Amino acid sequence: MEKVIVEVGSTNTKIDVYDGKEVKRLEEVTIFFKTNYKENNQIKEDDKNILINKVVKLKEKYSNIFVCGTSIFRELSEEERNSFQNEFKEKTGLEFNIISQEEENIFTVLGATRFTNEKSCVFVGGGGSTEISVYDKEIVERKETKIGVMDLLAEFPDLNDDLATTPLEEVMKYIEERLNVPETKADILILAGGGHEMFARNSGIKYEDNTLYSDECAKIMMDIDTRIKETERYYTEISLDEIKSRVDNPSWWCGTRAMCAFVLVVAKKIEAKYIVPTNISMVYGLLDK
């Protein structure tokens, strides 16, 4: 039986379907839950309705659906959480499961490291939280921080302009002062939890085939020097407006420069030699839920 996993984050909602053999991404929806929550300290009705309507539509085709929320939903008060979950259950007939930061980290790491033999660091970046783990046959060190790309955009709104005006080094310094990163070093940094491969393929940055290990969900890579140079170019030379004009989900691209800075901060700290961008999310760890 097909199973659908709906993973609702602070900004991006990922919808995947598992047919018993492989996972396929059905859709990604941008809903600014965290940004809009800050306006009056409550989940915005419009955001809530977009999600509920999307799930109700899914039920027309699929009977086995698991819905979960991360980041901003963990920060709700008990009263807010109960109200949101009760309304969601009433209107969709489904439970809204809130995943802890630790669970989010573990579920994503399991999917990202399925085919790796070498020690690797898995970066899981989101709109309002960041999870980083070093994996060597098991998770040997894990760090979690309640900071994400939306926090960075609030501090540096120009990162969403056509070209950024804040220097990359300044953005990285801001992150370095706030982000918890493992002390353990790893040559390979795997980017998971979002559309990192989609970003690489559509942003115009350089990449090559993944020769480190074989995984259908991790087909490309770049060395660290290339990633640094291409990130600098993404800040100052590559037009974000042009990208938004030709992609299906332009809102998703708002946080990409911020995410790139997070990646370089982590790569620098763990002394990574290679970066592997993937679209892998929690779905692989959630299949038995």
Side-chain angles (χ1 to χ4, degrees), residues 23 111 114-115 197 215-219 276-280 284:
V23 173
R114 292 170 303 151
F115 301 107
E197 180 180 350
D215 183 349
E216 285 298 306
C217 295
K219 290 186 173 183
V276 179
T278 78
N279 294 331
I280 294 171
Y284 293 94

Side-chain angles (χ1 to χ4, degrees), residues 5 8 53 55 99 120 124 130 132 157 171 182 193 241 264 269 274:
I5 306 289
V8 188
N53 291 337
V55 172
I99 304 297
S120 305
V124 183
T130 303
I132 308 165
V171 180
D241 289 349
L264 289 190
K269 180 70 174 180
Y274 305 100

Side-chain angles (χ1 to χ4, degrees), residues 23-263:
V23 173
K24 291 184 179 179
R25 177 64 46 85
L26 288 178
E27 188 178 357
E28 286 195 25
V29 185
T30 300
I31 311 175
F32 292 100
F33 278 109
K34 182 167 184 174
T35 299
N36 293 334
Y37 181 87
K38 289 181 177 181
E39 290 181 1
N40 53 10
N41 291 322
Q42 65 181 22
I43 297 293
K44 189 175 180 180
E45 283 296 317
D46 287 349
D47 294 342
K48 187 192 307 180
N49 290 334
I50 290 172
L51 175 63
I52 288 172
N53 291 337
K54 181 64 64 174
V55 172
V56 169
K57 189 71 174 177
L58 284 170
K59 288 189 68 178
E60 295 177 2
K61 183 176 181 180
Y62 302 97
S63 59
N64 189 5
I65 302 174
F66 179 86
V67 185
C68 61
T70 61
S71 192
I72 183 60
F73 299 99
R74 295 190 284 253
E75 300 175 18
L76 301 179
S77 68
E78 183 176 358
E79 182 180 354
E80 289 176 311
R81 183 167 60 249
N82 290 338
S83 175
F84 178 85
Q85 289 176 313
N86 290 338
E87 182 179 353
F88 186 86
K89 177 70 177 291
E90 179 184 343
K91 293 183 176 179
T92 68
L94 298 174
E95 301 289 343
F96 187 90
N97 302 273
I98 297 178
I99 304 297
S100 71
Q101 195 167 20
E102 180 180 358
E103 289 175 318
E104 180 180 8
N105 194 11
I106 292 171
F107 289 149
T108 309
V109 170
L110 291 175
T113 57
R114 292 170 303 151
F115 301 107
T116 58
N117 295 316
E118 297 184 46
K119 180 171 64 174
S120 305
C121 180
V122 179
F123 167 86
V124 183
S129 63
T130 303
E131 297 82 40
I132 308 165
S133 297
V134 176
Y135 184 89
D136 191 4
K137 299 181 177 60
E138 62 180 9
I139 295 176
V140 297
E141 188 178 1
R142 184 180 71 240
K143 296 291 184 180
E144 297 152 355
T145 316
K146 291 181 180 179
I147 183 175
V149 297
M150 300 313 294
D151 301 287
L152 211 60
L153 283 178
E155 185 69 22
F156 305 106
D158 66 280
L159 298 187
N160 191 31
D161 291 345
D162 185 37
L163 297 175
T165 53
T166 302
L168 174 60
E169 293 76 13
E170 183 178 339
V171 180
M172 290 178 61
K173 184 176 185 296
Y174 181 88
I175 298 171
E176 287 170 348
E177 293 171 350
R178 293 161 175 81
L179 187 66
N180 298 317
V181 182
E183 295 295 330
T184 307
K185 311 305 180 187
D187 287 348
I188 301 173
L189 175 59
I190 302 173
L191 310 182
H196 295 281
E197 180 180 350
M198 179 180 71
F199 163 76
R201 291 186 183 277
N202 290 280
S203 63
I205 70 169
K206 295 178 182 178
Y207 59 85
E208 58 187 291
D209 292 339
N210 184 2
T211 58
L212 300 171
Y213 59 94
S214 179
D215 183 349
E216 285 298 306
C217 295
K219 290 186 173 183
I220 63 175
M221 59 173 275
M222 65 277 294
D223 62 73
I224 186 61
D225 289 339
T226 296
R227 182 71 185 213
I228 292 170
K229 292 175 183 177
E230 292 300 284
T231 300
E232 291 172 344
R233 194 164 68 87
Y234 189 56
Y235 266 58
T236 60
E237 298 180 25
I238 295 178
S239 167
L240 192 57
D241 289 349
E242 186 278 326
I243 295 173
K244 289 180 178 179
S245 71
R246 59 177 165 80
V247 296
D248 294 332
N249 189 5
S251 297
W252 181 87
W253 288 82
C254 295
T256 51
R257 286 200 180 105
M259 185 66 78
C260 285
F262 273 99
V263 169

Side-chain angles (χ1 to χ4, degrees), residues 12-23:
N12 295 312
T13 293
K14 297 180 279 287
I15 304 173
D16 296 289
V17 61
Y18 177 64
D19 63 5
K21 294 181 180 180
E22 61 180 339
V23 173

